[in-house]
Amino acid sequence: MDAIRPAASFLLQRLVQMLLVMLAILAIAFAVRSSLGDPIRELTGQAASASERAELREELGLNDSWPVQFGRYLKGAATGDLGTSYIYKRSTLGVILDKFPASFELVLAASLIVVLLSIPGGIYCAVKPRSLGAKLVLGFSVLGVSVPVFLTGILLISLFSVLWGWLPAFGRGETVSVFGWESSFLSLDGLEHLLLPAVTLSSIMLPLFIRLIRSAMLDELGRDYVRTARAKGVSRIHIWIGHALRNAWLPVIAQAGLQFGNLLAFTLLTETVFQWPGMGFLFLEAVTRADIPLITTYLVVVGAIFVVTNTIADLMSLALDPRVSLEAAR
Amino acid sequence: MSGAGEIGQPPARVSSALRRHPGAIVLLTLLALFALAALFAPAIAPQNPYDLASLDILDSELPPVWLDGGSWTYPLGTDAQGRDLLSAVLYGLRVSMLVGVLAVVIQAAIGIPLGMLAGYSGGRADTLVTRFADIQLSLSTLMLAIVALALFRTWLGADSLGANAVPILVVVIGLAEWPFFARTARAGVMSEKAKDYVRAARALGATDAAIIRRHIFPNILSPLIIVAAIGIANAIMAEAALSFLGLGMPPTRPSLGTLIRSGYDLIFAGAWWVTLIPGAVLVALLLTINLLGDSLRDALDPRLQDRGGSVTV
């Protein structure tokens, strides 16, 4: 069989699926917007007369049938126009994308912490399952799962900011602009502001990944090829890293893809605790002030991020694992 | 008909498994204490925290009894309105546990029948349920709940959402996590339905409904109890998160999450207890349920060890 063709058709299938999901999300966003939002009241306020309002309704096309309106909404979406924010009086997509770097860097910093700690932690718990250290790490992971992320944040703030006064408790501090991207990584003040939120966000993902890597490693270490390698005299470290970890990656990546939605929710909670000016914080502001175009645009943006990352995770496990059959991966 | 009796009915199996794990007894006792405190909160609490007339603003932000300035009148201190924190926490525990348990009842009511149907009949129904569960699990339950409640809030307004928060939270959290019950029920039915006792029952002329209800269901109960335990912890955590965001229980009827939210600003004024005491109670409750779930899992099904939360089937 030609190996390329199924892969290409799988890719195409995935792409079509992505588009369908996005269409569904846009339909939901459109439905919410047209049933909850009243752009006329927002645009005119109390002063406008009934006839002025009716005129504006006609002008904005709000009297058209809903398929026509939905078509217009999709056309707008394709060009990046998803409406105008009531609060900010400008393009909702622009408002949200301005907040993207803050959220992205928070997630990036937290992911770095998770990757740097969960891999050695997970391997250690798998190769020395009866050691005191492994029991401590696993005990900590049960505790970590039981402490809600916002409480971790509050606890860290009350210790490091209020009690000891070492680190700032809210905001992003000083950022450095690199080609229009506001970064926290390039100034000491920015890094200080980033530290507590990033540790908070990682605290909820870390236990999960340590457990995942541990159980995937335990699976691999029990297999015949490990015994063979050991019989051949391959060093332990080489077996752990070079053989077992390489195979243990696959379930971990598949799981990481599934956890992405939770990561978004945890980021939103972390941003709320630290008043971190990211997309989640903006979303809650939009909810409190009933800025419906902003709310629905957030749904579309988050849906898009979610669909794209899920597809990437799928493609990655496909690329890394020749055993994943394309038929089964449908 | 007494074939299943030899290994003991599942509840008996649960209790004998617990007896072999002394730690589990301690956890069970703790959970019982939490449940009793929640159930009898109005009787135990020194003050009715909803009764604004009993609050005295002069008593606001008093520290717990073990700190300077604390007194036995308010053993855990008071909040910004002078509300007795012990009473507020007891009532909050009541709301949190109510929402958690009811949400899991909904999850079970949807998930168990669907999962049993899928596992017993196989074929198209099975594909449909499994696919649906997969899709739902690939979405984040917490994110879905946040979005759903944000829309409810925009639609109903903050006051009206607050008045109907319990049923809305129960339904939203309940709808979000049924797939865990469905998967467990399905896997259980699939492994049980090929066994001799099921074939014997069928040979004796039992109907499918009777076989499922009277023979299979009791035998798949233990893994479902574990799912329920973890489900309650997750539901309580989800409710706390939503309330912390201001999308759940209103300040007029606070859950533990609402108490944490309303005390949050005070940590900067040094009154850490207003937010951290409800927080500590929440963590203790979640830890108790999670650890109990873990030890139940170890006791009932050694094969499932370390697979907790993993979504591979």
Side-chain angles (χ1 to χ4, degrees), chain A residues 183-264:
Chain A
S183 176
S184 296
F185 285 106
L186 297 172
S187 76
L188 189 63
D189 188 52
L191 286 172
E192 279 181 349
H193 279 83
L194 184 59
L195 189 58
L196 286 186
V199 169
T200 301
L201 183 54
S202 65
S203 74
I204 196 88
M205 307 301 277
L206 194 55
L208 183 86
F209 276 83
I210 288 180
R211 283 182 166 205
L212 263 174
I213 292 174
R214 171 180 172 267
S215 81
M217 281 289 287
L218 278 175
D219 272 0
E220 294 300 326
L221 289 174
R223 287 181 201 273
D224 285 341
Y225 73 88
V226 169
R227 214 168 306 145
T228 312
R230 190 159 288 167
K232 276 167 61 186
V234 180
S235 79
R236 278 163 183 262
I237 302 274
H238 190 84
I239 292 176
W240 296 339
I241 313 281
H243 295 266
L245 186 63
R246 270 177 73 173
N247 292 315
W249 263 132
L250 297 164
V252 175
I253 288 179
Q255 268 294 304
L258 284 178
Q259 287 301 322
F260 191 77
N262 279 330
L263 180 67
L264 287 174

Side-chain angles (χ1 to χ4, degrees), chain A residues 28 32 36 142-151 154-155 157-158 161-162 169-170 204 208 211-212 214-215 218-219 251 255 257-266 268-269 272-275 283-284 287-292 295-296 298-299 302 306 310 330, chain B residues 131 134 137-144 146-147 149-156 234 237 240-242 244-247 256-257 260-261 264-265 267-270 272 275-276 278-280 282-284 286-288 290-291 294 297 305-312:
Chain A
I28 294 171
V32 169
L36 293 184
V142 178
L143 189 68
V145 171
S146 301
V147 182
V149 65
F150 54 94
L151 261 178
I154 293 175
L155 195 64
I157 288 180
S158 45
S161 307
V162 181
F170 50 81
I204 196 88
L208 183 86
R211 283 182 166 205
L212 263 174
R214 171 180 172 267
S215 81
L218 278 175
D219 272 0
Q255 268 294 304
L258 284 178
Q259 287 301 322
F260 191 77
N262 279 330
L263 180 67
L264 287 174
F266 294 140
L268 197 149
L269 283 159
T272 307
V273 175
F274 290 94
Q275 298 173 39
F283 175 63
L284 281 177
V287 171
T288 321
R289 296 173 63 178
D291 189 340
I292 289 140
I295 294 173
T296 53
Y298 177 83
L299 296 189
V302 162
F306 186 73
N310 254 358
R330 200 167 33 108
Chain B
R131 186 56 66 86
D134 280 347
L137 283 179
S138 77
L139 303 169
S140 153
T141 49
L142 188 54
M143 199 62 211
L144 278 184
I146 290 173
V147 166
L149 276 145
L151 293 180
F152 267 117
R153 194 192 143 126
T154 319
W155 178 38
L156 299 170
N234 283 341
M237 177 105 92
L242 289 163
F244 178 74
L245 292 174
L247 299 172
L256 293 173
I260 295 167
R261 173 189 170 83
Y264 168 59
D265 286 338
I267 58 172
F268 298 103
W272 52 266
T275 191
L276 287 182
L282 177 64
V283 170
L286 292 173
L287 203 57
T288 306
N290 278 335
L291 286 172
D294 277 1
R297 183 169 54 209
Q305 272 182 38
D306 308 319
R307 301 264 165 186
S310 121
V311 206
T312 41

Side-chain angles (χ1 to χ4, degrees), chain A residues 327-328 330, chain B residues 114-136 178-179 182-183 186 190 193 313:
Chain A
E327 295 309 308
R330 200 167 33 108
Chain B
L114 278 182
M116 289 180 71
L117 175 78
Y120 194 78
S121 62
R124 189 161 290 193
D126 188 20
T127 319
L128 200 69
V129 170
T130 314
R131 186 56 66 86
F132 216 71
D134 280 347
I135 292 175
Q136 172 119 32
W178 64 270
R183 288 192 158 188
R186 172 176 173 269
M190 302 246 291
K193 77 176 176 187
V313 166

Side-chain angles (χ1 to χ4, degrees), chain A:
Chain A
M1 272 282 280
D2 188 358
I4 304 297
R5 268 182 47 207
S9 81
F10 175 73
L11 217 65
L12 194 71
Q13 223 170 14
R14 265 285 126 123
L15 225 59
V16 172
Q17 206 175 321
M18 264 172 78
L19 282 176
L20 284 177
V21 174
M22 278 318 296
L23 203 64
I25 294 172
L26 281 165
I28 294 171
F30 171 76
V32 169
R33 215 172 86 126
S34 41
S35 56
L36 293 184
D38 182 4
I40 301 297
R41 204 193 53 204
E42 294 296 330
L43 283 171
T44 58
Q46 302 295 327
S49 70
S51 68
E52 275 171 329
R53 286 179 193 214
E55 207 173 295
L56 197 60
R57 271 197 91 78
E58 188 60 43
E59 204 177 301
L60 288 173
L62 293 173
N63 293 331
D64 294 341
S65 67
W66 71 262
V68 175
Q69 292 196 46
F70 185 50
R72 200 157 39 220
Y73 184 70
L74 286 183
K75 214 154 126 197
T79 58
D81 173 19
L82 285 163
T84 306
S85 158
Y86 296 161
I87 309 173
Y88 295 92
K89 310 289 179 209
R90 61 191 186 95
S91 156
T92 50
L93 195 62
V95 173
I96 289 176
L97 291 184
D98 279 353
K99 305 283 182 188
F100 179 75
S103 294
F104 182 81
E105 289 195 340
L106 174 57
V107 170
L108 184 70
S111 311
L112 277 177
I113 298 176
V114 171
V115 169
L116 288 179
L117 294 182
S118 68
I119 295 174
I123 295 178
Y124 176 72
C125 290
V127 298
K128 296 244 186 299
R130 286 179 206 289
S131 68
L132 183 67
K135 287 192 177 124
L136 282 177
V137 170
L138 287 178
F140 154 79
S141 83
V142 178
L143 189 68
V145 171
S146 301
V147 182
V149 65
F150 54 94
L151 261 178
T152 314
I154 293 175
L155 195 64
L156 290 179
I157 288 180
S158 45
L159 289 179
F160 289 89
S161 307
V162 181
L163 190 61
W164 296 323
W166 292 347
L167 288 166
F170 50 81
R172 260 189 112 186
E174 189 187 321
T175 54
V176 177
S177 177
V178 185
F179 304 115
W181 175 287
E182 295 289 330
S183 176
S184 296
F185 285 106
L186 297 172
S187 76
L188 189 63
D189 188 52
L191 286 172
E192 279 181 349
H193 279 83
L194 184 59
L195 189 58
L196 286 186
V199 169
T200 301
L201 183 54
S202 65
S203 74
I204 196 88
M205 307 301 277
L206 194 55
L208 183 86
F209 276 83
I210 288 180
R211 283 182 166 205
L212 263 174
I213 292 174
R214 171 180 172 267
S215 81
M217 281 289 287
L218 278 175
D219 272 0
E220 294 300 326
L221 289 174
R223 287 181 201 273
D224 285 341
Y225 73 88
V226 169
R227 214 168 306 145
T228 312
R230 190 159 288 167
K232 276 167 61 186
V234 180
S235 79
R236 278 163 183 262
I237 302 274
H238 190 84
I239 292 176
W240 296 339
I241 313 281
H243 295 266
L245 186 63
R246 270 177 73 173
N247 292 315
W249 263 132
L250 297 164
V252 175
I253 288 179
Q255 268 294 304
L258 284 178
Q259 287 301 322
F260 191 77
N262 279 330
L263 180 67
L264 287 174
F266 294 140
T267 309
L268 197 149
L269 283 159
T270 308
E271 288 181 359
T272 307
V273 175
F274 290 94
Q275 298 173 39
W276 187 259
M279 291 162 46
F281 192 57
L282 177 76
F283 175 63
L284 281 177
E285 188 194 2
V287 171
T288 321
R289 296 173 63 178
D291 189 340
I292 289 140
L294 200 53
I295 294 173
T296 53
T297 308
Y298 177 83
L299 296 189
V300 174
V301 171
V302 162
I305 294 176
F306 186 73
V307 169
V308 169
T309 41
N310 254 358
T311 311
I312 290 175
D314 278 0
L315 293 178
M316 261 171 87
S317 41
L318 186 74
L320 288 173
D321 189 0
R323 289 170 303 180
V324 170
S325 120
L326 289 166
E327 295 309 308
R330 200 167 33 108

